[in-house]
Amino acid sequence: QSVLTQPPSMSAAPGQKVTISCSGSRSNIGDNYVSWWQQLPGTAPKLLIYENNRRPSGIPDRFSASKSGTSATLGITGLQTGDEADYFCGAWDSSLGAWLFGGGTRLTVL
Amino acid sequence: EVQLVESGGGLVQPGGSLRLSCAASGFTFSSFEMNWVRQAPGKGLEWVSQISARSTTIYYSDSVRGRFTISRDNVENSMSLQMNRLRAEDTGVYYCVRGPMFTIFNSWGQGALVTVS
C-alpha cells in the first residue's frame, strides 16, 4: 500500500519556522481527516494534531496544521532543540480501507 | 490515565508464529476501535490492522492479510495479534494504538519488539 509523501528531512535554526508537507490523494487526505505525530528518539509516537488542525491539550500553539485539497502541512514556529524528532502525517484511505502514514520527516534544529 | 501495555514480543524464526497482546486500562475499552501499528528498525510507521469496538469490522494491510489475525476481548480489556508465517520483513516494534486515529482519543502503547531471524 502506498504511503503519503513527506520530505525525508528538514533543518532550521533555533527560533526559526519550518513547514512540513504531506501529500496524498482524494481517497485519503482529500476525503478524510489528517493527523500528525511527533516521535522523539526511542519513544512511542505522540499525537500532535488531530482532525486536520486541532491540538490536544498540552501541545504548544507553536505547532499548527492545515489541509488543502489533497495536501496537508504542519508548521512549527519558534523552533527549539527539543523539537528535534521525526514527524509523521496520517490519514484513512477510503478506497483501500487502510490507514496510511507518511514516510516521516526528520527535523534537525541546528 | 490511559494505559496500553504490549506483551508477547521476542525472537522467532522465519515461518514461525508469535502472539502479541495489549492490555488496556484507564478507559472504557469496549467503546473504542483499536489498531496495531509497527515500525521496522530505523524506518517509518506502518499500520497493520484495525478492529472495531465490538469486533464487527476488521481491516488488515496488504502486507499481513492472510497471515495475521487481530482479535479483542472486551471483558478482559485486551487485544491480540496472532502472527503466523512470519518473515524477516515483519521485524520491528509493534504498537497497540487506541483509535480512531484521527481523533483526540488516539493513544499509543510503548511497543513490543518482534525479531524474525
Side-chain angles (χ1 to χ4, degrees), chain B residues 37 54 76 88 93 104 108-109 115:
Chain B
V37 175
R54 299 196 175 190
E76 296 293 326
V93 175
I104 196 171
W108 298 60
T115 303

Side-chain angles (χ1 to χ4, degrees), chain A residues 64-81:
Chain A
S64 65
S66 62
K67 187 182 96 167
S68 178
T70 60
S71 293
T73 300
L74 172 70
I76 312 172
T77 61
L79 278 170
Q80 302 174 0
T81 54

